[in-house]
mmCIF file of all heavy atoms in Angstrom:
data_model
loop_
_atom_site.group_PDB
_atom_site.id
_atom_site.type_symbol
_atom_site.label_atom_id
_atom_site.label_comp_id
_atom_site.label_asym_id
_atom_site.label_seq_id
_atom_site.Cartn_x
_atom_site.Cartn_y
_atom_site.Cartn_z
ATOM 1 N N ASP A 227 12.785 7.387 -22.178
ATOM 2 C CA ASP A 227 13.660 6.898 -21.115
ATOM 3 C C ASP A 227 14.196 8.040 -20.270
ATOM 4 O O ASP A 227 14.272 7.966 -19.049
ATOM 5 C CB ASP A 227 14.824 6.109 -21.720
ATOM 6 C CG ASP A 227 14.359 4.795 -22.331
ATOM 7 O OD1 ASP A 227 13.272 4.309 -21.944
ATOM 8 O OD2 ASP A 227 15.090 4.267 -23.175
ATOM 9 N N THR A 228 14.590 9.125 -20.926
ATOM 10 C CA THR A 228 15.115 10.279 -20.195
ATOM 11 C C THR A 228 14.044 10.886 -19.322
ATOM 12 O O THR A 228 14.285 11.306 -18.196
ATOM 13 C CB THR A 228 15.647 11.325 -21.183
ATOM 14 O OG1 THR A 228 16.624 10.726 -22.010
ATOM 15 C CG2 THR A 228 16.280 12.486 -20.424
ATOM 16 N N ASN A 229 12.817 10.924 -19.853
ATOM 17 C CA ASN A 229 11.695 11.499 -19.108
ATOM 18 C C ASN A 229 11.464 10.720 -17.819
ATOM 19 O O ASN A 229 11.206 11.291 -16.762
ATOM 20 C CB ASN A 229 10.450 11.481 -19.988
ATOM 21 C CG ASN A 229 9.344 12.343 -19.423
ATOM 22 O OD1 ASN A 229 9.610 13.320 -18.747
ATOM 23 N ND2 ASN A 229 8.122 11.973 -19.713
ATOM 24 N N VAL A 230 11.594 9.392 -17.894
ATOM 25 C CA VAL A 230 11.417 8.546 -16.715
ATOM 26 C C VAL A 230 12.519 8.839 -15.695
ATOM 27 O O VAL A 230 12.273 8.958 -14.500
ATOM 28 C CB VAL A 230 11.441 7.050 -17.117
ATOM 29 C CG1 VAL A 230 11.501 6.164 -15.873
ATOM 30 C CG2 VAL A 230 10.202 6.721 -17.939
ATOM 31 N N SER A 231 13.787 9.032 -16.180
ATOM 32 C CA SER A 231 14.894 9.324 -15.270
ATOM 33 C C SER A 231 14.669 10.628 -14.544
ATOM 34 O O SER A 231 14.853 10.723 -13.332
ATOM 35 C CB SER A 231 16.208 9.383 -16.066
ATOM 36 O OG SER A 231 16.472 8.160 -16.683
ATOM 37 N N PHE A 232 14.250 11.647 -15.284
ATOM 38 C CA PHE A 232 14.018 12.938 -14.644
ATOM 39 C C PHE A 232 12.837 12.852 -13.679
ATOM 40 O O PHE A 232 12.842 13.457 -12.617
ATOM 41 C CB PHE A 232 13.761 13.999 -15.698
ATOM 42 C CG PHE A 232 13.339 15.311 -15.097
ATOM 43 C CD1 PHE A 232 14.186 15.998 -14.249
ATOM 44 C CD2 PHE A 232 12.088 15.843 -15.361
ATOM 45 C CE1 PHE A 232 13.810 17.193 -13.681
ATOM 46 C CE2 PHE A 232 11.701 17.044 -14.802
ATOM 47 C CZ PHE A 232 12.566 17.719 -13.963
ATOM 48 N N SER A 233 11.818 12.058 -14.054
ATOM 49 C CA SER A 233 10.643 11.922 -13.193
ATOM 50 C C SER A 233 11.048 11.357 -11.840
ATOM 51 O O SER A 233 10.600 11.833 -10.805
ATOM 52 C CB SER A 233 9.610 11.003 -13.860
ATOM 53 O OG SER A 233 8.529 10.763 -12.997
ATOM 54 N N VAL A 234 11.932 10.354 -11.826
ATOM 55 C CA VAL A 234 12.386 9.765 -10.569
ATOM 56 C C VAL A 234 13.133 10.802 -9.752
ATOM 57 O O VAL A 234 12.907 10.962 -8.548
ATOM 58 C CB VAL A 234 13.286 8.537 -10.849
ATOM 59 C CG1 VAL A 234 13.936 8.044 -9.552
ATOM 60 C CG2 VAL A 234 12.470 7.427 -11.493
ATOM 61 N N LEU A 235 14.036 11.557 -10.394
ATOM 62 C CA LEU A 235 14.812 12.585 -9.702
ATOM 63 C C LEU A 235 13.916 13.666 -9.130
ATOM 64 O O LEU A 235 14.037 14.054 -7.982
ATOM 65 C CB LEU A 235 15.819 13.200 -10.686
ATOM 66 C CG LEU A 235 16.660 14.362 -10.185
ATOM 67 C CD1 LEU A 235 17.634 13.884 -9.128
ATOM 68 C CD2 LEU A 235 17.422 15.001 -11.347
ATOM 69 N N PHE A 236 12.974 14.124 -9.932
ATOM 70 C CA PHE A 236 12.110 15.247 -9.555
ATOM 71 C C PHE A 236 11.083 14.825 -8.502
ATOM 72 O O PHE A 236 10.880 15.497 -7.497
ATOM 73 C CB PHE A 236 11.403 15.751 -10.820
ATOM 74 C CG PHE A 236 10.618 17.016 -10.624
ATOM 75 C CD1 PHE A 236 11.242 18.246 -10.599
ATOM 76 C CD2 PHE A 236 9.234 16.973 -10.488
ATOM 77 C CE1 PHE A 236 10.524 19.420 -10.438
ATOM 78 C CE2 PHE A 236 8.497 18.135 -10.325
ATOM 79 C CZ PHE A 236 9.150 19.361 -10.301
ATOM 80 N N ASP A 237 10.446 13.690 -8.728
ATOM 81 C CA ASP A 237 9.347 13.264 -7.856
ATOM 82 C C ASP A 237 9.818 12.752 -6.502
ATOM 83 O O ASP A 237 9.075 12.827 -5.524
ATOM 84 C CB ASP A 237 8.512 12.168 -8.551
ATOM 85 C CG ASP A 237 7.727 12.723 -9.735
ATOM 86 O OD1 ASP A 237 7.610 13.958 -9.847
ATOM 87 O OD2 ASP A 237 7.235 11.916 -10.531
ATOM 88 N N HIS A 238 11.066 12.248 -6.425
ATOM 89 C CA HIS A 238 11.511 11.617 -5.185
ATOM 90 C C HIS A 238 12.593 12.421 -4.468
ATOM 91 O O HIS A 238 13.193 11.938 -3.518
ATOM 92 C CB HIS A 238 12.024 10.204 -5.463
ATOM 93 C CG HIS A 238 10.943 9.281 -5.991
ATOM 94 N ND1 HIS A 238 9.989 8.696 -5.184
ATOM 95 C CD2 HIS A 238 10.640 8.897 -7.263
ATOM 96 C CE1 HIS A 238 9.166 7.969 -5.934
ATOM 97 N NE2 HIS A 238 9.543 8.080 -7.192
ATOM 98 N N ALA A 239 12.873 13.639 -4.932
ATOM 99 C CA ALA A 239 13.843 14.491 -4.236
ATOM 100 C C ALA A 239 13.355 14.795 -2.825
ATOM 101 O O ALA A 239 12.166 15.015 -2.600
ATOM 102 C CB ALA A 239 14.048 15.788 -5.019
ATOM 103 N N SER A 240 14.297 14.820 -1.871
ATOM 104 C CA SER A 240 13.916 15.059 -0.477
ATOM 105 C C SER A 240 13.984 16.541 -0.130
ATOM 106 O O SER A 240 14.349 16.914 0.984
ATOM 107 C CB SER A 240 14.830 14.264 0.451
ATOM 108 O OG SER A 240 16.178 14.621 0.237
ATOM 109 N N MET A 241 13.670 17.378 -1.078
ATOM 110 C CA MET A 241 13.539 18.808 -0.856
ATOM 111 C C MET A 241 12.500 19.347 -1.835
ATOM 112 O O MET A 241 12.216 18.710 -2.856
ATOM 113 C CB MET A 241 14.883 19.527 -1.067
ATOM 114 C CG MET A 241 15.376 19.523 -2.503
ATOM 115 S SD MET A 241 16.814 20.597 -2.751
ATOM 116 C CE MET A 241 18.015 19.773 -1.736
ATOM 117 N N GLY A 242 11.891 20.468 -1.497
ATOM 118 C CA GLY A 242 10.907 21.056 -2.385
ATOM 119 C C GLY A 242 11.572 21.659 -3.616
ATOM 120 O O GLY A 242 12.585 22.348 -3.499
ATOM 121 N N ILE A 243 11.031 21.383 -4.796
ATOM 122 C CA ILE A 243 11.563 21.948 -6.044
ATOM 123 C C ILE A 243 10.429 22.669 -6.764
ATOM 124 O O ILE A 243 9.336 22.126 -6.946
ATOM 125 C CB ILE A 243 12.151 20.862 -6.967
ATOM 126 C CG1 ILE A 243 13.203 20.035 -6.217
ATOM 127 C CG2 ILE A 243 12.759 21.489 -8.220
ATOM 128 C CD1 ILE A 243 13.764 18.890 -7.024
ATOM 129 N N LEU A 244 10.719 23.883 -7.198
ATOM 130 C CA LEU A 244 9.731 24.715 -7.872
ATOM 131 C C LEU A 244 10.374 25.325 -9.110
ATOM 132 O O LEU A 244 11.528 25.769 -9.059
ATOM 133 C CB LEU A 244 9.252 25.817 -6.915
ATOM 134 C CG LEU A 244 8.278 26.885 -7.414
ATOM 135 C CD1 LEU A 244 7.440 27.392 -6.247
ATOM 136 C CD2 LEU A 244 9.021 28.076 -8.036
ATOM 137 N N VAL A 245 9.658 25.336 -10.230
ATOM 138 C CA VAL A 245 10.129 25.967 -11.462
ATOM 139 C C VAL A 245 9.181 27.109 -11.813
ATOM 140 O O VAL A 245 7.955 26.925 -11.816
ATOM 141 C CB VAL A 245 10.188 24.954 -12.626
ATOM 142 C CG1 VAL A 245 10.676 25.643 -13.898
ATOM 143 C CG2 VAL A 245 11.108 23.793 -12.275
ATOM 144 N N ALA A 246 9.737 28.299 -12.060
ATOM 145 C CA ALA A 246 8.915 29.466 -12.414
ATOM 146 C C ALA A 246 9.464 30.100 -13.675
ATOM 147 O O ALA A 246 10.647 29.974 -14.000
ATOM 148 C CB ALA A 246 8.915 30.485 -11.269
ATOM 149 N N ASN A 247 8.569 30.793 -14.401
ATOM 150 C CA ASN A 247 9.014 31.486 -15.608
ATOM 151 C C ASN A 247 9.458 32.906 -15.271
ATOM 152 O O ASN A 247 9.462 33.312 -14.114
ATOM 153 C CB ASN A 247 7.929 31.472 -16.677
ATOM 154 C CG ASN A 247 6.637 32.148 -16.200
ATOM 155 O OD1 ASN A 247 6.661 32.967 -15.277
ATOM 156 N ND2 ASN A 247 5.522 31.807 -16.827
ATOM 157 N N GLU A 248 9.828 33.673 -16.316
ATOM 158 C CA GLU A 248 10.350 35.023 -16.098
ATOM 159 C C GLU A 248 9.300 35.951 -15.493
ATOM 160 O O GLU A 248 9.642 36.959 -14.873
ATOM 161 C CB GLU A 248 10.850 35.612 -17.418
ATOM 162 C CG GLU A 248 12.134 34.974 -17.925
ATOM 163 C CD GLU A 248 12.634 35.625 -19.206
ATOM 164 O OE1 GLU A 248 12.121 35.280 -20.274
ATOM 165 O OE2 GLU A 248 13.525 36.482 -19.121
ATOM 166 N N GLN A 249 8.031 35.633 -15.674
ATOM 167 C CA GLN A 249 6.964 36.471 -15.122
ATOM 168 C C GLN A 249 6.697 36.150 -13.643
ATOM 169 O O GLN A 249 5.845 36.770 -13.019
ATOM 170 C CB GLN A 249 5.664 36.300 -15.921
ATOM 171 C CG GLN A 249 5.728 36.877 -17.342
ATOM 172 C CD GLN A 249 6.581 36.048 -18.274
ATOM 173 O OE1 GLN A 249 6.512 34.821 -18.254
ATOM 174 N NE2 GLN A 249 7.416 36.705 -19.071
ATOM 175 N N GLY A 250 7.445 35.184 -13.095
ATOM 176 C CA GLY A 250 7.253 34.831 -11.699
ATOM 177 C C GLY A 250 6.072 33.909 -11.471
ATOM 178 O O GLY A 250 5.587 33.795 -10.340
ATOM 179 N N LEU A 251 5.590 33.249 -12.535
ATOM 180 C CA LEU A 251 4.475 32.308 -12.397
ATOM 181 C C LEU A 251 5.005 30.886 -12.233
ATOM 182 O O LEU A 251 5.965 30.487 -12.899
ATOM 183 C CB LEU A 251 3.558 32.391 -13.624
ATOM 184 C CG LEU A 251 2.897 33.749 -13.877
ATOM 185 C CD1 LEU A 251 2.030 33.684 -15.117
ATOM 186 C CD2 LEU A 251 2.082 34.200 -12.671
ATOM 187 N N ILE A 252 4.383 30.120 -11.372
ATOM 188 C CA ILE A 252 4.821 28.754 -11.099
ATOM 189 C C ILE A 252 4.485 27.857 -12.283
ATOM 190 O O ILE A 252 3.343 27.814 -12.750
ATOM 191 C CB ILE A 252 4.159 28.219 -9.822
ATOM 192 C CG1 ILE A 252 4.569 29.083 -8.623
ATOM 193 C CG2 ILE A 252 4.540 26.765 -9.590
ATOM 194 C CD1 ILE A 252 3.810 28.773 -7.348
ATOM 195 N N VAL A 253 5.492 27.110 -12.776
ATOM 196 C CA VAL A 253 5.318 26.222 -13.925
ATOM 197 C C VAL A 253 5.276 24.760 -13.481
ATOM 198 O O VAL A 253 4.488 23.975 -13.984
ATOM 199 C CB VAL A 253 6.461 26.445 -14.943
ATOM 200 C CG1 VAL A 253 6.364 25.433 -16.077
ATOM 201 C CG2 VAL A 253 6.420 27.864 -15.492
ATOM 202 N N MET A 254 6.131 24.402 -12.542
ATOM 203 C CA MET A 254 6.204 23.022 -12.069
ATOM 204 C C MET A 254 6.468 23.018 -10.568
ATOM 205 O O MET A 254 7.163 23.889 -10.049
ATOM 206 C CB MET A 254 7.331 22.234 -12.774
ATOM 207 C CG MET A 254 7.208 22.092 -14.273
ATOM 208 S SD MET A 254 8.703 21.306 -14.973
ATOM 209 C CE MET A 254 8.589 19.683 -14.244
ATOM 210 N N VAL A 255 5.932 22.020 -9.862
ATOM 211 C CA VAL A 255 6.235 21.785 -8.452
ATOM 212 C C VAL A 255 6.328 20.276 -8.231
ATOM 213 O O VAL A 255 5.611 19.509 -8.876
ATOM 214 C CB VAL A 255 5.157 22.379 -7.513
ATOM 215 C CG1 VAL A 255 5.269 23.892 -7.454
ATOM 216 C CG2 VAL A 255 3.755 21.984 -7.961
ATOM 217 N N ASN A 256 7.231 19.864 -7.348
ATOM 218 C CA ASN A 256 7.334 18.428 -7.101
ATOM 219 C C ASN A 256 6.492 18.026 -5.885
ATOM 220 O O ASN A 256 6.060 18.879 -5.101
ATOM 221 C CB ASN A 256 8.804 18.008 -6.948
ATOM 222 C CG ASN A 256 9.395 18.437 -5.617
ATOM 223 O OD1 ASN A 256 8.899 19.370 -4.997
ATOM 224 N ND2 ASN A 256 10.454 17.774 -5.186
ATOM 225 N N PRO A 257 6.232 16.731 -5.714
ATOM 226 C CA PRO A 257 5.371 16.292 -4.611
ATOM 227 C C PRO A 257 5.873 16.724 -3.237
ATOM 228 O O PRO A 257 5.069 17.022 -2.355
ATOM 229 C CB PRO A 257 5.389 14.761 -4.756
ATOM 230 C CG PRO A 257 5.666 14.525 -6.204
ATOM 231 C CD PRO A 257 6.591 15.608 -6.617
#
């Protein structure tokens, strides 16, 4: 259930969201 909530927040945000690790490599990006 929590995963679905975060998916809605992440996938439908009206701004670009990017997650990177300490090495500066991209881990996640939203649509």
Side-chain angles (χ1 to χ4, degrees):
D227 291 338
T228 303
N229 193 29
V230 170
S231 299
F232 173 62
S233 175
V234 171
L235 176 68
F236 188 80
D237 291 346
H238 296 282
S240 58
M241 68 171 64
I243 306 176
L244 176 152
V245 180
N247 59 23
E248 289 183 279
Q249 291 73 42
L251 299 180
I252 298 171
V253 175
M254 299 174 66
V255 286
N256 74 337

